[in-house]
Amino acid sequence: MDRAERVPYGRRPLNLLRIMPAKGGDKMVDSPDAAHFFERGTRISVFEGARPTLSGDFVVESHGMAPIPEDQRYGSSWRNFTVWFAPNMELSGVFTGTLAFTLGLGFWPGLIAIVIGVFLGALPVALLATFGPKTGMGQLPLARLPFGKSIALPAAVQWLSAIAWDGLVGLFGAEGAQLLFHVPFAVGVLIVLALEGLIGFVGYEVIHQLEKWGSAILAVLFVVLSLRILQRGNIPLHNTVHGGAAVGAFILMTTIAFSGTFSWASYAADYSRYQEKDSPSSPVFLWTLGGLCASYIWTYAIGLAGARVLSNQTAAGVRSLVGGGAVGVLALITVIFGAITSNAMNDYSGSLALQAAGVKLRRNWSAALGTGLAFCLILWIHEGNTSGKFQSVLLFSAYWIAPFLAIVLIDWHERKGSTTYGGLSALMDLKNLNTGWPALVSLVVGFGAMVPFMNTGLLVGPVAKALDGADLSFYVGFVVAAAVYLTLHKLVVPNPALGLGEIEKPHMEASDTACLI
């Protein structure tokens, strides 16, 4: 069908044959079907709205956290590679790689620690990405199943963290725009945020298209950057620490690399929720795993190899490193474009998290709100010269994802991956949710158990000190939260309104509650 012939706002025409009276006065659908239709037709939901229907459909996606109807899914599994490759090809990843040298590791021990950490951190993200096609929902909205009303806490943390990462990554991008266009820093911020904000506002499909083309562009630019760094030589080949200190540094670097990929776990299903429900899980898992591992290992390895010459961790420092002229311009474009591809996803996932918390604001306007707050945040970070401390706060806040993951995986296992469209739709109404206190208690207890094992710029726990700086907190938080939740969740009677089972509640071919922007 030609685009002009479609019903506006990404909706299919209502199939009137399903509700028209048959000859003789009998209805062609049973009464529950009709009742469900009229119930939905008279209830306007801020969590539903316009959505893309096929690849390249750049309709402004006002559709929020409500499940995507099964007959309106699209997209190939390979998209999961590009959407998880491009956003990590940016400057902060390169600088993270230099930490292996700072900790005293030589190139090969540092690279091994990076590969192990990145791979382990990417596994849960790839697993959670398979939930998107199965449910048609994003990650934080889907967590309403175990958390109930208490989802407000992790969703709020996720939303604030998304804005904070917007600020930190946007700082590098704004510095690049300032140097490239010879404008004041505030104007550089506006340039970067306007571009990423527009992408986050339009939504899912334009993000996938951006990451697809961005993967190719950033790969070429990073090849140039990598060659320039390697040409400088002076690669740190040998450890400067030994014995127990070397073991502790190796474990800590593994944890740092782990945290980079693992921090995307709370975003995972957001970018596969439009894919068809019968999409095989293995390709979704493997493409996601590949995109994360390829991008993170590449950027971290560049940082480690060039650690001795990457002393100025700014956009200006990178331009100085690769030299002036056309190559210097390419370096700045890499910095800007990398920031945009990463932050567009922060804006998008942040908008879904805000809705999951119960805030009834359109998804696209929620994304715009996050972008606006990031503008103020970037100016504050820049003026106060606090980027290092601020990054420590963000890394500290990312620890909550380990106990969160344990709870989500146990809940999914208990349900045997079986959900219904009607049950998931019921999650949109807070009245249908339990308090979720077992999940909340497990999250808090799991996080608390992590503290003695942490090694961050803000806190070094006593166990981490005893282990020569080794940080085992992620693993401890996961295990403790799992043990607590396995015990507590059995005390709560499941809400029948969520409709678990194999037979799905009848639903229309398309949402009749889509509203204008």
Side-chain angles (χ1 to χ4, degrees), residues 103-155:
L103 294 173
L105 296 177
F107 180 79
W108 292 113
L111 183 61
I112 293 172
I114 286 171
V115 171
I116 293 174
V118 166
F119 179 76
L120 292 177
L123 286 175
V125 184
L127 177 61
L128 293 177
T130 65
F131 291 11
K134 295 179 187 300
T135 64
M137 290 187 68
Q139 202 63 60
L140 262 294
L142 187 59
R144 281 188 164 198
L145 282 171
F147 279 90
K149 293 182 175 69
S150 71
I151 189 62
L153 177 61

Side-chain angles (χ1 to χ4, degrees), residues 37 42 61 86 114 129 138 179 191 215 242 250 271 285 298 303 310 326 330 338 354 414 425 443 482:
F37 164 69
T42 57
E61 182 198 18
I114 286 171
L179 294 171
I191 292 172
S215 293
H242 306 281
F250 183 89
Y271 303 98
F285 178 90
W298 188 352
L310 282 169
L330 284 176
L354 189 63
E414 292 287 325
S425 297
L443 180 71

